[in-house]
Amino acid sequence: MEQTRVDVLVIGAGISGISAARHVLRDNPGASLVVLERRARVGGTWDLFRYPGIRSDSDMPTFGFGFRPWRDKRILADGARIRQYVEDAADDSGVLERVRFGRRAVSADFSHDSGRWTVEVEDENTGERESYSAGYLVGATGYYDYDHPYRPEFPGEADFRGTLVHPQHWPEDLDHTGKRVVVIGSGATAITLLPAMADAAAHVTMLQRSPTYVLALPEVDPLTSVLQKLRAPARLTHKVVRARNIALQRGSYAFCRTYPRLARKVLLGLVRAQAGKGVDMRHFSPEYKPWDQRLCVVPGGDLFKVLRSGKASIATDRIDTFTADGIRLRSGKELKADIVVTATGLTVRLMGGMALTVDGEPVDVKDRVLYKAVLLEGVPNMSLVIGYTNASWTLKADLAADYTARLLAHMRRHGHDIATPVACDGDRSAFSVMGEALTSGYIARADEVMPRQGTRDPWRLWNNYYRDRALLRNSPIDDSPLRFEKAGAPRTAPARAA
């Protein structure tokens, strides 16, 4: 089998992969780089999801790249605009021409003798296998399974005569005009679907087992509007608004975690003001504290508008069983439905399911800890990009990309072939990197898949942009937990410290 040899191989051409490739090429202009993407276009999540109303649940000045201004005044953006923005960024930075589409990474093995990764890849269009040899590997596939969403089995669903659909695999020909729709779920997807489907549907009901904290944001950012009217340069506008939004994100999160009772009172008060006097607050009053689960945002209060209009409603109950015509609840009430949307969440999977080995020995990611939240303990020459759960994903993806680019430049300058973070057993906690702070369903399920949380710096994951910026962008590359080697040199210590 002919082998393609590159300096850097990036797996995934979504937001994380495009950011990683762009940063690496900026700091290492002579490097050969290839991006492998399983889908036919760049965009990742924003190419996969096609359900009605698909949009960001983070503000675009921070969800967009730090290196490319988001020029729209709207705070949140729909999926098509985000995907096009990612493609434009890839094209402008010279990354798009380096993407090889329709490629699924099957396995990757690192050899200390050669100081390189051997990555086996399947061309999903032909079924043929390809081989790549890479000096450095970047895992930028996100952390969920594109093939299999989380989809629990419900009692009696085989008896349902209507249409069952999951948002992750939305049929292009599904017409909900004049139909009765029930959306099962209470997260960002369900809260997006409700107003998006309400105008055309006969009625839409969001069926939730428990409520979520919801916050309405204006559709248009006032500061962006003012700066654009003043004809401020796009990059200056982007920089100012992005800095303000990062501070607001961090401040609101810290406020909610420090003063949960007061934060709850404020959030529920805002809901009452938006939803009107007739609102049943039990549909918006979670039992958990603010930011135990991710906050859901709605642009322009669109959710509350369709609830006030009567075109949509919320039911907070548990499913007893599906019936031929809908869903019977534990309370005895039956929701009639022609279409049931199971917005029940994601299945967590790292690296797109690619098998990972070092010198032929399997690597169990869930037993490893992350160094500076980017490098995997005991695994040489690999970055793993995991975005924030309590802020915009891209903020962390950009920092991880910047650190990876700096690390590669450092290795090139000093003649290093291999860089491996080495941890002690005391650096590793029982929690996953996602499971200690948040309690969302997919976060809890991720505990069986994701790396462990560290007990101290630089293994501790803080989910704090300001702290991470100092750690990843400004701190020295060469420190004691990071071991540098030459390929093929005698090894005097194991990859994992005692």
Side-chain angles (χ1 to χ4, degrees), residues 186-205:
S186 60
T189 302
I191 284 173
T192 298
L193 281 165
L194 201 69
M197 301 182 76
D199 283 342
H203 189 81
V204 184
T205 303

Side-chain angles (χ1 to χ4, degrees), residues 108-110 116-119 132-135 137 356-357 379-382:
D109 178 68
F110 185 84
R116 300 184 67 82
W117 287 96
T118 299
V119 182
Y132 291 79
S133 173
L137 189 64
L356 198 66
T357 56
V379 179
N381 292 18
M382 189 185 82

